[in-house]
């Protein structure tokens, strides 16, 4: 069953895409500064990060919040 979620900025975006785009934007070091977890600090990779984030809800929430703050700044009241 497919449910539309028009108010969810992460709807339809895979966790893998989130990690890849954040890593490309901040680099592993910058990502580790913003979300200080070992999967970003010690021998980081997309695969190890995904494994950790899928098992650790609080870390996933921080990564998702960082993604939204970085890439999803659409303001419906903006007039330009």
């Amino acid at each position: 069953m497919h449910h539309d979620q028009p108010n969810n900025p992460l709807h339809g975006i895979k966790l893998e895409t989130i990690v890849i785009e954040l890593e490309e934007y901040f680099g592993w070091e910058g990502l580790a500064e913003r979300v200080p977890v070992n999967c970003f600090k010690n021998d980081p990779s997309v695969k190890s990060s995904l494994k950790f984030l899928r098992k650790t809800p609080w870390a996933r929430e921080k990564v998702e919040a960082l993604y939204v703050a970085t890439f999803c700044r659409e303001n419906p009241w903006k007039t330009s």
Side-chain angles (χ1 to χ4, degrees):
M1 185 186 279
H2 177 63
H3 297 285
D4 287 331
Q5 297 180 12
N7 295 324
N8 181 355
L10 297 174
H11 181 69
I13 302 174
K14 294 181 180 183
L15 182 59
E16 181 177 14
T17 302
I18 292 171
V19 171
I20 290 170
E21 289 186 13
L22 286 172
E23 188 278 323
E24 288 174 353
Y25 190 80
F26 293 112
W28 290 116
E29 190 174 307
L31 196 49
E33 289 174 6
R34 290 160 179 82
V35 183
V37 292
N38 283 335
C39 68
F40 297 151
K41 293 180 181 180
N42 301 324
D43 194 26
S45 71
V46 173
K47 184 177 178 180
S48 68
S49 298
L50 291 174
K51 185 175 181 179
F52 175 77
L53 293 171
R54 287 182 178 130
K55 294 180 179 180
T56 316
W58 65 265
R60 181 178 181 151
E61 288 173 12
K62 287 187 176 210
V63 168
E64 289 175 344
L66 178 60
Y67 182 86
V68 170
T70 304
F71 298 114
C72 301
R73 294 188 179 215
E74 293 181 19
N75 183 344
W77 296 280
K78 191 174 182 181
T79 59
S80 58

